[in-house]
Amino acid sequence: MKGWWGRILRVDLTNNKVQVQEYSPDMAQQFIGGRGLAVKILWDEVKNVDPLGPENKLVFASGPFNGLPTPSGGKMVVAAKSPLTGGYGDGNLGTMATVHLRKAGYDAIVVEGKAKKPVYLYIEDDNVSILSAEGLWGKGTFETERELKKIHGKNVGVLSIGPAGENLVRYAVVISQEGRAAGRPGMGAVMGSKKLKAVVIKGTKEIPVADKEKLRKLSQEAYNAILNAPGYPFWYRQGTMAAVEWTNENSALPTRNFSDGSFEFARSIDGYTMEGMKVKQRGCPYCNMPCGNVVLDAEGQESELDYENVALLGSNLGLGKLNEVSVLNRIADEMGMDTISLGGSIAFIMEAKEKGLIKEDAPVFGDFKKAKQLALDIAYRRGELGNLGAEGVMRMAQKLNAEDFAMHVKGLEVSGYNCYIYPAMALAFATSSIGAHHKEAWVIAWEIGTAPIEGEKAKKVEYKITYDPEKAAKVIELQRLRGGLFEMLTACRLPWVEIGLSLDYYPKLLEAITGVKYTWDDLYKAADRVYALIRAYWVRELGEKWGRHMDYAPERWFREGLKSGPYKGQHLDREKYDALLSEYYRLRGWDERGIPKKETLKELGLEFAIPELERVTKLE
C-alpha cells in the first residue's frame, strides 16, 4: 500500500505485551483512516463493556494526510467507548504525536487492559517500551510533557493526561503541546483507568507515497492559496475568537448556562480584547494559519484561547474579564479537562445553586474565585461538589431531577452556540455522532447567512426562523465533510471553513498520497459508512435505552425563550423540529428511531452490523 502503512500497534497493559497487526488494503480504502479506522476497531472489539474497565480499548488513529506536508494535516483522532455518554466517543487534536506515529511506521495504536502501576508508552520506530510513570503520576499535563521531553529529547510527540484523567473525571481529555486537547467524551478518563499517563513517540521512517512530486506541488499550491485568501489577515489576528462578537450579535452566545444568547460584557472577552493581550501564537504541525492565541492570564501565566473555551468558561459562567477566563482555561488544560464540558458543568451547578437545588457553598454566576476553586475540586474529585461536577451535566441533572436546564445531548455538554432560534444548528448538535458537539456540522453560519471571518465586521443580515427541509440536507452535507472526510484524512477543516480553501484539493491530495482515485461520491459514501457504523455502535451499546429522544436538542431551547435582544421570547418549535428530524432520518436512510435500515447498511458495505443490531432491536 502507498499512503497507508497497513500496520496497527497493539499494546496490552495487563500482560505487558506489544505486537503489530496488519490490516487489509480493502479496510484502508473503505475507512480511510482516523475516525474511520477507530470506529471499525471499536465496533469489532469493544462490545458491552464498562468504559472505565480494562476491556475498553483506547485508539489513537492517524490518517493518510498525517506526517506529510498537507494543509493543516497534523491531526490525530483519540477514540474509545465513552465513560461520559456510554456510546461512541472520540475527539481530534493537533499534535506532533501524529507526525511521529506515522513516521514510526504505524497508522494507529490500540491500548487495552490495565497496568498495575502508572506507566507511559515510549515508541521509537520498531522499538516499543512500557515504562514506569510513577514519578509523573499526579503531575499536570504541561509539567508531564516538559519532563518527558527532557528525557527523550524535544523532537518527540507527547500525549498525556493530568489529574482529571487520573481521577476519572468523566470529561477528562488527552492533552498535547500545552493546550491541544482531544476526546471530550472522556478519553482522558479511559487513559487514566488504564494507568497510562502518557504516550511518547519518535519516528524516523519515510512514509510511502504514491506520487511525491504531485503531492509537493499540490500542497505548495494549497498553502499559497491560504496565505493569499482575503480573510487571512483578520484570521491571523483573531482566529476563532472572532466568533465571540458574531454570536453575541446574533443571540447565539451561551450566557449563564444558555439561559440567554447575548452577554452584557461580551466586548470584554472578545477577539479585540484578546488581541491586546496576545503574546504569541501556536499552530499544529503543517499548519500555516495558526489558531492558538496565547495570552497572559490574571496569574501571569500563558493560556491558549479559542472561541469555545472563552464562551463556555466566560459568558456561560457570567464572567466578563478575559484574564480571569484565561485562568480557568489554563487550569482545564493543565488538569486535562475538557473546557466545554467543564464550563457546562460549572454553569449547571451555578444555576442549580441559584434555584436552591444545591445547598453546598457553590459558586454563583459571575463568581470567578469560587469557579476556580470548583474547577480544581472537580479535577481532583475533592468534596461532594467536586465529585458531583466530575460526573457531568447529564448525571447531575438525573440526581437533582433538573433536566429542564441540563444543557447536553446524549450526555455530552453543548458547545458554544445557543440555539433558541437556530433549528439547523440544534439538529446538528442533536445528531452529532458523539453528542452535542459543533465540529461535525457548524451549520449556524450558513443558517444565519454570515460568518465571523468576513473582514473587520461580519455583515448584518435579516434572519427569520424557518424549518425548511433543506436544513436537514445541509446538516448531512456538512457532517459528510466535517465529521467524515476531515476526520478520516485526518486534517483540520479550518482552511476550508474559515479561509475558503477549495475542497477540490482534498481528493487530489489523497490520490497523490495513496494512488487511489476517490470521486466525491466515493468520499461521501465513506463518510456515510462511518456515520452509520457509529450510530450502530450507539444502538448496540445502549440497547433498549436507545430511542428517537436521543436525537433531541436540550429541553431549554423548546420550553424557554431568549431573555434579551431582537429575538426576545423566541424559541424552537417542538413539532417543527420533529418534522426536521424525520427529514434528516429519511435522507440518511434511517428509520424513525434514528437506526440505519437494513438496506442502508447493505448499501454501505456494513452487512456485518446487521446480526448484532438485530440482537438488541428490530431492524426495518
Side-chain angles (χ1 to χ4, degrees):
M1 286 194 286
K2 298 289 185 182
W4 296 280
W5 288 104
R7 301 170 83 234
I8 297 170
L9 179 66
R10 290 186 169 271
V11 179
D12 180 346
L13 295 177
T14 299
N15 299 304
N16 219 37
K17 287 185 178 177
V18 175
Q19 63 177 354
V20 176
Q21 173 205 351
E22 295 189 353
Y23 67 96
S24 70
D26 182 60
M27 182 171 164
Q29 289 181 31
Q30 276 201 314
F31 291 93
I32 300 179
R35 166 178 273 187
L37 197 54
V39 70
K40 182 63 166 66
I41 291 166
L42 293 175
W43 173 269
D44 289 343
E45 303 176 27
V46 180
K47 305 175 185 180
N48 302 309
V49 304
D50 176 359
L52 294 174
E55 298 82 11
N56 198 2
K57 298 189 180 184
L58 186 62
V59 182
F60 301 92
S62 295
F65 271 39
N66 303 142
L68 297 167
T70 55
S72 301
K75 291 281 193 173
M76 171 184 277
V77 169
V78 185
K81 184 175 180 180
S82 166
L84 184 66
T85 68
Y88 173 84
D90 75 6
N92 74 43
L93 77 167
T95 173
M96 283 302 296
T98 197
V99 176
H100 284 286
L101 178 64
R102 292 269 286 155
K103 290 188 174 182
Y106 313 103
D107 296 324
I109 307 168
V110 179
V111 181
E112 60 187 89
K114 178 181 179 179
K116 291 183 176 67
K117 293 180 179 179
V119 296
Y120 74 95
L121 193 60
Y122 180 61
I123 301 162
E124 187 171 357
D125 292 338
D126 298 325
N127 189 17
V128 182
S129 307
I130 301 171
L131 304 173
S132 171
E134 289 189 70
L136 296 171
W137 201 253
K139 294 184 185 295
T141 61
F142 297 2
E143 187 181 358
T144 296
E145 181 155 348
R146 289 168 192 163
E147 288 292 318
L148 288 167
K149 284 184 173 178
K150 281 181 190 174
I151 296 165
H152 297 290
K154 289 184 178 179
N155 185 29
V156 293
V158 181
L159 304 159
S160 70
I161 58 168
E166 297 170 4
N167 291 300
L168 311 183
V169 174
R170 289 187 186 271
Y171 44 87
V173 289
V174 178
I175 297 282
S176 186
Q177 297 173 200
E178 300 187 22
R180 299 299 158 123
R184 289 193 59 211
M187 302 303 98
V190 175
M191 198 162 158
S193 74
K194 297 183 177 303
K195 289 283 192 284
L196 179 63
K197 178 65 176 177
V199 178
V200 183
I201 314 171
K202 183 175 184 179
T204 62
K205 299 178 183 180
E206 184 176 346
I207 298 165
V209 170
D211 191 334
K212 276 192 207 175
E213 184 57 21
K214 185 179 177 184
L215 173 61
R216 187 191 67 76
K217 284 183 177 177
L218 280 169
S219 290
Q220 191 58 56
E221 194 180 300
Y223 280 124
N224 289 338
I226 291 167
L227 290 174
N228 293 318
Y232 186 85
F234 187 53
W235 167 266
Y236 195 81
R237 283 168 46 200
Q238 292 200 10
T240 63
M241 283 292 291
V244 175
E245 180 189 31
W246 178 75
T247 51
N248 193 61
E249 286 180 352
N250 290 287
S251 298
L253 181 64
T255 302
R256 296 181 179 87
N257 196 32
F258 290 82
S259 65
D260 204 0
S262 53
F263 183 47
E264 65 270 31
F265 302 120
R267 184 66 186 81
S268 300
I269 60 169
D270 71 7
Y272 295 99
T273 297
M274 180 276 299
E275 282 190 66
M277 297 169 61
K278 185 160 63 171
V279 293
K280 66 172 76 166
Q281 277 180 285
R282 294 179 187 151
C284 302
Y286 299 113
C287 174
N288 68 337
M289 49 174 290
C291 67
N293 292 297
V294 181
V295 302
L296 293 182
D297 64 27
E299 296 176 355
Q301 301 206 48
E302 291 186 358
S303 180
E304 183 179 327
L305 301 179
D306 69 18
Y307 168 69
E308 297 293 333
N309 45 51
V310 170
L312 271 296
L313 294 169
S315 54
N316 203 44
L317 303 185
L319 297 176
K321 295 178 182 177
L322 192 56
N323 60 349
E324 292 182 345
V325 175
S326 302
V327 171
L328 298 181
N329 176 69
R330 173 178 51 81
I331 287 171
D333 288 342
E334 283 191 310
M335 295 294 105
M337 287 183 286
D338 175 52
T339 53
I340 298 169
S341 287
L342 177 65
S345 296
I346 293 176
F348 178 87
I349 288 171
M350 286 175 165
E351 185 162 353
K353 174 69 174 177
E354 193 178 74
K355 287 178 160 56
L357 299 175
I358 287 178
K359 305 303 180 189
E360 290 85 4
D361 187 22
V364 294
F365 291 113
D367 188 338
F368 164 68
K369 287 184 180 178
K370 285 186 179 177
K372 177 189 170 184
Q373 186 58 53
L374 179 54
L376 290 167
D377 288 344
I378 286 171
Y380 290 98
R381 283 189 177 267
R382 284 193 298 236
E384 192 172 341
L385 206 56
N387 209 40
L388 182 70
E391 291 293 293
V393 167
M394 178 177 72
R395 287 173 178 79
M396 287 194 286
Q398 289 167 350
K399 183 173 182 180
L400 299 175
N401 193 25
E403 277 292 344
D404 55 338
F405 61 92
M407 299 307 294
H408 72 89
V409 174
K410 299 180 181 70
L412 184 67
E413 289 74 17
V414 180
S415 56
Y417 303 92
N418 213 349
C419 296
Y420 285 94
I421 57 172
Y422 299 113
M425 193 64 216
L427 180 69
F429 276 136
T431 58
S432 164
S433 59
I434 62 169
H437 199 37
H438 63 283
K439 72 176 182 179
E440 295 175 12
W442 187 66
V443 72
I444 190 168
W446 170 86
E447 190 169 19
I448 292 172
T450 180
I453 305 295
E454 290 185 359
E456 289 293 317
K457 287 277 183 182
K459 62 185 177 184
K460 291 276 189 183
V461 295
E462 285 284 326
Y463 175 75
K464 184 180 178 184
I465 306 175
T466 66
Y467 295 81
D468 193 299
E470 182 189 9
K471 292 195 171 186
K474 192 67 179 181
V475 168
I476 292 171
E477 177 193 335
L478 291 176
Q479 287 176 340
R480 283 170 169 162
L481 291 168
R482 295 169 61 101
L485 175 68
F486 286 99
E487 294 290 321
M488 292 184 291
L489 288 178
T490 302
C492 179
R493 59 210 175 273
L494 292 179
W496 161 57
V497 174
E498 303 289 2
I499 303 298
L501 182 67
S502 172
L503 281 171
D504 289 337
Y505 279 110
Y506 293 93
K508 289 177 184 176
L509 286 163
L510 184 57
E511 184 180 358
I513 293 165
T514 66
V516 179
K517 186 174 180 62
Y518 286 91
T519 66
W520 276 109
D521 284 345
D522 295 332
L523 293 171
Y524 283 151
K525 188 171 183 178
D528 288 348
R529 180 179 298 123
V530 168
Y531 253 77
L533 190 57
I534 290 175
R535 177 52 60 105
Y537 188 87
W538 274 93
V539 174
R540 183 182 73 184
E541 297 305 302
L542 268 64
E544 291 180 357
K545 293 178 183 177
W546 180 268
R548 185 185 179 93
H549 66 281
M550 300 292 287
D551 287 330
Y552 262 76
E555 178 66 20
R556 168 161 262 169
W557 290 337
F558 296 106
R559 189 177 49 82
E560 298 178 17
L562 284 165
K563 291 182 176 177
S564 63
Y567 308 102
K568 185 177 179 180
Q570 296 193 50
H571 57 77
L572 294 179
D573 182 293
R574 193 181 303 274
E575 287 186 15
K576 290 177 181 177
Y577 174 86
D578 200 49
L580 201 59
L581 181 58
S582 288
E583 174 66 3
Y584 175 92
Y585 289 159
R586 185 188 71 78
L587 292 171
R588 278 224 173 267
W590 298 356
D591 67 22
E592 283 292 317
R593 301 168 297 164
I595 300 174
K597 296 178 180 179
K598 281 184 187 178
E599 181 185 356
T600 303
L601 292 168
K602 289 174 182 176
E603 283 176 3
L604 295 172
L606 300 175
E607 295 92 342
F608 58 82
I610 293 172
E612 292 201 38
L613 286 178
E614 286 189 320
R615 289 193 193 106
V616 298
T617 191
K618 185 176 175 62
L619 290 185
E620 287 187 14

Short mmCIF file of all heavy atoms in Angstrom, two decimals, residues 413-435:
data_model
loop_
_atom_site.label_atom_id
_atom_site.label_comp_id
_atom_site.label_asym_id
_atom_site.label_seq_id
_atom_site.Cartn_x
_atom_site.Cartn_y
_atom_site.Cartn_z
N GLU A 413 -22.00 17.68 26.97
CA GLU A 413 -22.39 19.07 27.17
C GLU A 413 -22.35 19.84 25.85
O GLU A 413 -21.47 19.62 25.01
CB GLU A 413 -21.47 19.73 28.19
CG GLU A 413 -21.68 19.27 29.62
CD GLU A 413 -21.15 17.87 29.92
OE1 GLU A 413 -20.33 17.36 29.12
OE2 GLU A 413 -21.54 17.28 30.94
N VAL A 414 -23.29 20.78 25.69
CA VAL A 414 -23.41 21.57 24.46
C VAL A 414 -22.22 22.52 24.33
O VAL A 414 -21.82 23.17 25.30
CB VAL A 414 -24.72 22.38 24.47
CG1 VAL A 414 -24.84 23.22 23.19
CG2 VAL A 414 -25.92 21.46 24.61
N SER A 415 -21.67 22.62 23.12
CA SER A 415 -20.58 23.57 22.89
C SER A 415 -21.14 24.96 22.56
O SER A 415 -22.32 25.23 22.81
CB SER A 415 -19.62 23.04 21.81
OG SER A 415 -20.28 22.75 20.61
N GLY A 416 -20.33 25.85 21.98
CA GLY A 416 -20.58 27.28 22.09
C GLY A 416 -21.60 27.97 21.22
O GLY A 416 -21.36 29.11 20.82
N TYR A 417 -22.74 27.35 20.96
CA TYR A 417 -23.77 28.01 20.14
C TYR A 417 -25.14 27.80 20.76
O TYR A 417 -25.58 26.65 20.93
CB TYR A 417 -23.71 27.47 18.69
CG TYR A 417 -22.34 27.69 18.12
CD1 TYR A 417 -21.36 26.70 18.22
CD2 TYR A 417 -21.98 28.92 17.59
CE1 TYR A 417 -20.07 26.92 17.79
CE2 TYR A 417 -20.69 29.16 17.15
CZ TYR A 417 -19.74 28.15 17.25
OH TYR A 417 -18.46 28.39 16.84
N ASN A 418 -25.80 28.89 21.11
CA ASN A 418 -27.10 28.84 21.75
C ASN A 418 -28.18 28.85 20.66
O ASN A 418 -28.21 29.75 19.83
CB ASN A 418 -27.26 30.06 22.68
CG ASN A 418 -28.10 29.73 23.90
OD1 ASN A 418 -28.73 28.68 23.96
ND2 ASN A 418 -28.12 30.63 24.86
N CYS A 419 -29.04 27.87 20.67
CA CYS A 419 -29.90 27.60 19.51
C CYS A 419 -31.40 27.78 19.75
O CYS A 419 -32.21 27.03 19.21
CB CYS A 419 -29.63 26.18 19.00
SG CYS A 419 -27.96 25.95 18.39
N TYR A 420 -31.79 28.77 20.52
CA TYR A 420 -33.21 29.06 20.68
C TYR A 420 -33.89 29.35 19.34
O TYR A 420 -35.07 29.05 19.15
CB TYR A 420 -33.40 30.29 21.57
CG TYR A 420 -33.15 30.07 23.03
CD1 TYR A 420 -31.91 30.32 23.59
CD2 TYR A 420 -34.17 29.61 23.87
CE1 TYR A 420 -31.68 30.13 24.94
CE2 TYR A 420 -33.95 29.42 25.22
CZ TYR A 420 -32.70 29.68 25.75
OH TYR A 420 -32.49 29.48 27.10
N ILE A 421 -33.15 29.96 18.41
CA ILE A 421 -33.75 30.38 17.13
C ILE A 421 -33.05 29.74 15.93
O ILE A 421 -33.29 30.14 14.79
CB ILE A 421 -33.75 31.91 16.98
CG1 ILE A 421 -32.33 32.47 17.10
CG2 ILE A 421 -34.66 32.54 18.03
CD1 ILE A 421 -32.22 33.96 16.78
N TYR A 422 -32.21 28.72 16.18
CA TYR A 422 -31.43 28.11 15.09
C TYR A 422 -31.70 26.61 15.00
O TYR A 422 -30.92 25.79 15.53
CB TYR A 422 -29.94 28.40 15.28
CG TYR A 422 -29.65 29.88 15.25
CD1 TYR A 422 -29.20 30.55 16.38
CD2 TYR A 422 -29.85 30.62 14.09
CE1 TYR A 422 -28.94 31.92 16.35
CE2 TYR A 422 -29.61 31.99 14.05
CZ TYR A 422 -29.16 32.63 15.18
OH TYR A 422 -28.92 33.99 15.14
N PRO A 423 -32.79 26.20 14.35
CA PRO A 423 -33.14 24.77 14.30
C PRO A 423 -32.13 23.90 13.58
O PRO A 423 -31.94 22.74 13.95
CB PRO A 423 -34.50 24.76 13.58
CG PRO A 423 -34.64 26.09 12.94
CD PRO A 423 -33.83 27.04 13.74
N ALA A 424 -31.46 24.42 12.54
CA ALA A 424 -30.47 23.61 11.84
C ALA A 424 -29.30 23.29 12.76
O ALA A 424 -28.83 22.15 12.82
CB ALA A 424 -29.98 24.32 10.58
N MET A 425 -28.81 24.30 13.51
CA MET A 425 -27.69 24.05 14.43
C MET A 425 -28.13 23.16 15.58
O MET A 425 -27.36 22.31 16.05
CB MET A 425 -27.14 25.38 14.95
CG MET A 425 -25.79 25.24 15.67
SD MET A 425 -24.47 24.67 14.57
CE MET A 425 -23.51 23.63 15.69
N ALA A 426 -29.37 23.32 16.04
CA ALA A 426 -29.89 22.43 17.08
C ALA A 426 -29.91 20.98 16.58
O ALA A 426 -29.55 20.05 17.31
CB ALA A 426 -31.30 22.86 17.49
N LEU A 427 -30.33 20.80 15.32
CA LEU A 427 -30.33 19.46 14.72
C LEU A 427 -28.91 18.91 14.59
O LEU A 427 -28.67 17.71 14.83
CB LEU A 427 -31.00 19.52 13.35
CG LEU A 427 -31.10 18.19 12.59
CD1 LEU A 427 -32.09 17.24 13.28
CD2 LEU A 427 -31.53 18.42 11.13
N ALA A 428 -27.97 19.78 14.26
CA ALA A 428 -26.57 19.36 14.15
C ALA A 428 -26.04 18.87 15.49
O ALA A 428 -25.36 17.84 15.57
CB ALA A 428 -25.72 20.51 13.62
N PHE A 429 -26.33 19.62 16.56
CA PHE A 429 -25.94 19.17 17.89
C PHE A 429 -26.59 17.84 18.23
O PHE A 429 -25.96 16.93 18.76
CB PHE A 429 -26.38 20.20 18.94
CG PHE A 429 -25.44 21.36 19.13
CD1 PHE A 429 -25.92 22.66 19.23
CD2 PHE A 429 -24.07 21.16 19.25
CE1 PHE A 429 -25.07 23.73 19.44
CE2 PHE A 429 -23.21 22.23 19.46
CZ PHE A 429 -23.71 23.52 19.55
N ALA A 430 -27.88 17.73 17.94
CA ALA A 430 -28.66 16.56 18.36
C ALA A 430 -28.23 15.29 17.64
O ALA A 430 -28.34 14.20 18.20
CB ALA A 430 -30.15 16.83 18.13
N THR A 431 -27.77 15.43 16.39
CA THR A 431 -27.43 14.23 15.61
C THR A 431 -25.92 14.03 15.48
O THR A 431 -25.49 13.10 14.80
CB THR A 431 -28.04 14.31 14.21
OG1 THR A 431 -27.58 15.50 13.54
CG2 THR A 431 -29.56 14.34 14.28
N SER A 432 -25.12 14.88 16.12
CA SER A 432 -23.66 14.68 16.11
C SER A 432 -23.35 13.28 16.64
O SER A 432 -24.02 12.77 17.54
CB SER A 432 -22.99 15.73 16.99
OG SER A 432 -21.67 15.36 17.30
N SER A 433 -22.31 12.68 16.10
CA SER A 433 -22.03 11.28 16.42
C SER A 433 -21.48 11.05 17.82
O SER A 433 -21.43 9.92 18.28
CB SER A 433 -21.06 10.70 15.39
OG SER A 433 -19.87 11.44 15.37
N ILE A 434 -21.07 12.12 18.52
CA ILE A 434 -20.55 11.93 19.88
C ILE A 434 -21.40 12.61 20.94
O ILE A 434 -21.12 12.50 22.13
CB ILE A 434 -19.09 12.41 20.00
CG1 ILE A 434 -18.97 13.92 19.71
CG2 ILE A 434 -18.17 11.60 19.11
CD1 ILE A 434 -17.62 14.52 20.08
N GLY A 435 -22.46 13.31 20.54
CA GLY A 435 -23.23 14.13 21.47
C GLY A 435 -23.15 15.58 21.01
O GLY A 435 -22.76 15.86 19.87
#
